[in-house]
Amino acid sequence: MVDLPPKYTPEVLNKPAEYGCLSKLEGTWVNHNPTNDGTRWGLHTTCMPSPGSNSETIPGKFHFLCENYTEELTFSLVQGGVRNRAGTNEQFNGAVKYDQSIQDLTGRGLHEENGMYLWLDDIYNHPADDESIKTDIGFPEMAAGDGSNGPTFVPGYSISRSGTIPHGSTVQMFGKNSEVTDGTPPPFPHGTAAWDFDHLAISKSMGGAGTTPSTPINLDAPAPDWVFDTSLPTQDPSGNKTYTQRILEHELYPYSVRPDLRLRDAIAGQNIKDYTLIELSTTEENGPQGGILNNPIVQKYVPVTQMKLRLWIQTIEEDGEEFMQLQYEQIQFFQFHYGTDGGTTRWPHIQINTLKKKV
């Protein structure tokens, strides 16, 4: 049986907001890369409809873009809990605003976004009383004390995020947080284990670069020879290898294929004392769902259909001093055109970065 949450009283309105682990985000985070270390820049991979193509008659022609970027990401706490009244249950959200600005390494703007993270775990039980019965005309259906035994709302998630970008998409994501305090770093794969379509810039519906479960590509080794075969577009123009060849032959390989390997390499050798992991998604197997709204042209031609996020807030010890570091992997799926087999094609758009909190 679910325990009842604390009873609501007017004093709750004067309590400071609860932000949970989101309070660690407060401040401004930036790329810190005085030695121009390649692992210390952000990176994105983006598949876009090829010029002259359309979603009705031309299958799956795409332009691939992968580049480094620099970023400023600012979080600010909204003072006071934000009250959601739901009758017997009341929820007070701890709101954290964010503003994100991303430029390429020449200073050209790439991405702007703003929104909020919400801490959702602050729940109260609010039963009826004589005053509410009188004011809200609850009699004769209700009596003082109704709701004191529930039902109790149990949040399925501890965190939500809403965000808006000027392309015309608005996102709502839900998820949870976990804590690691034993000094172990975030786990990332190596070798063929890194060939995991959940994190690749190549989806299965893009042909999977011609791999099978028994023939993954080792992303810690040089790219396979066929990647540099210039005859492929002529000899096998519709082949799976040809289709994704440009992603594997990119100068930023292997990060052009699996961007979060740059996060792995950025923390190699660091002393990570502890970290918080936040995992959010627009879709879940069951329970409440998030979602994405797109403006008309995006919805018609390049709809964003799913988004997921992993974000690590890390305490780093270096030369006897501590500083805060933030890493994230954000994956969106576009769904434009169709494959040569007529099926739906999903195009991953991935962003990763390693940021240091300003002091």
Side-chain angles (χ1 to χ4, degrees):
M1 184 175 179
V2 177
D3 292 334
L4 285 171
K7 285 287 191 294
Y8 170 83
T9 65
E11 287 72 25
V12 171
L13 297 175
N14 298 319
K15 284 183 55 181
E18 296 285 344
Y19 303 103
C21 65
L22 298 180
S23 63
K24 298 179 181 180
L25 292 172
E26 184 180 19
T28 297
W29 306 74
V30 295
N31 286 98
H32 179 70
N33 196 2
T35 62
N36 198 24
D37 179 350
T39 66
R40 291 285 165 178
W41 298 123
L43 178 137
H44 78 91
T45 66
T46 310
C47 295
M48 298 167 282
S50 180
S53 64
N54 65 76
S55 57
E56 285 78 23
T57 64
I58 301 176
K61 303 299 182 183
F62 73 99
H63 175 70
F64 179 69
L65 185 63
C66 176
E67 57 189 334
N68 294 318
Y69 65 75
T70 184
E71 174 177 356
E72 182 170 284
L73 179 58
T74 299
F75 297 89
S76 55
L77 306 183
V78 176
Q79 297 305 306
V82 181
R83 186 179 183 183
N84 283 335
R85 308 182 196 213
T88 296
N89 295 279
E90 297 215 6
Q91 182 181 56
F92 284 76
N93 296 335
V96 181
K97 295 191 293 185
Y98 73 90
D99 284 283
Q100 182 182 42
S101 183
I102 293 176
Q103 294 81 36
D104 68 15
L105 299 190
T106 70
R108 179 176 59 92
L110 294 178
H111 182 84
E112 296 289 330
E113 182 176 336
N114 58 54
M116 286 193 179
Y117 284 78
L118 302 180
W119 182 253
L120 305 175
D121 269 2
D122 205 13
I123 304 292
Y124 293 88
N125 172 257
H126 196 166
D129 57 24
D130 290 335
E131 182 180 353
S132 69
I133 295 294
K134 179 180 179 180
T135 302
D136 300 338
I137 317 176
F139 182 81
E141 292 85 1
M142 297 180 67
D146 281 357
S148 59
N149 294 317
T152 298
F153 175 73
V154 180
Y157 311 105
S158 58
I159 297 170
S160 73
R161 170 185 162 194
S162 58
T164 301
I165 61 173
H167 292 289
S169 296
T170 299
V171 63
Q172 178 78 57
M173 309 171 73
F174 296 110
K176 298 182 179 181
N177 64 290
S178 57
E179 307 290 332
V180 176
T181 59
D182 62 2
T184 58
F188 289 99
H190 292 78
T192 56
W195 190 259
D196 179 351
F197 286 105
D198 286 341
H199 302 278
L200 300 186
I202 300 168
S203 71
K204 290 182 179 179
S205 61
M206 293 168 65
T211 62
T212 67
S214 61
T215 60
I217 294 174
N218 183 348
L219 292 175
D220 284 310
D225 290 342
W226 63 261
V227 170
F228 308 101
D229 184 353
T230 57
S231 69
L232 271 182
T234 301
Q235 294 183 358
D236 191 15
S238 297
N240 288 333
K241 291 181 177 179
T242 307
Y243 201 56
T244 49
Q245 184 181 33
R246 75 197 88 164
I247 298 176
L248 284 96
E249 69 175 347
H250 196 278
E251 63 180 355
L252 293 175
Y253 177 89
Y255 309 132
S256 62
V257 179
R258 178 159 177 164
D260 73 329
L261 294 185
R262 178 175 282 188
L263 303 181
R264 178 198 69 182
D265 296 344
I267 62 174
Q270 282 191 326
N271 181 11
I272 300 178
K273 294 187 63 178
D274 57 65
Y275 67 88
T276 298
L277 171 61
I278 296 172
E279 297 181 276
L280 307 177
S281 179
T282 56
T283 57
E284 298 291 340
E285 291 185 3
N286 49 57
Q289 303 290 308
I292 300 171
L293 295 174
N294 301 300
N295 75 8
I297 191 171
V298 174
Q299 183 61 33
K300 181 174 178 61
Y301 293 109
V302 198
V304 185
T305 59
Q306 185 185 6
M307 182 172 170
K308 53 187 180 179
L309 169 76
R310 293 190 297 167
L311 184 148
W312 297 263
I313 310 167
Q314 304 160 346
T315 304
I316 310 297
E317 184 174 357
E318 185 175 272
D319 298 327
E321 297 184 355
E322 292 184 359
F323 65 89
M324 299 300 294
Q325 181 171 275
L326 183 151
Q327 293 190 301
Y328 67 80
E329 175 202 40
Q330 180 169 282
I331 303 175
Q332 301 177 51
F333 288 98
F334 301 155
Q335 193 168 293
F336 60 85
H337 300 174
Y338 54 92
T340 53
D341 63 354
T344 299
T345 302
R346 284 161 57 88
W347 311 86
H349 166 41
I350 304 177
Q351 296 169 256
I352 62 93
N353 209 350
T354 299
L355 304 170
K356 183 177 181 180
K357 181 184 275 193
K358 281 185 175 181
V359 293

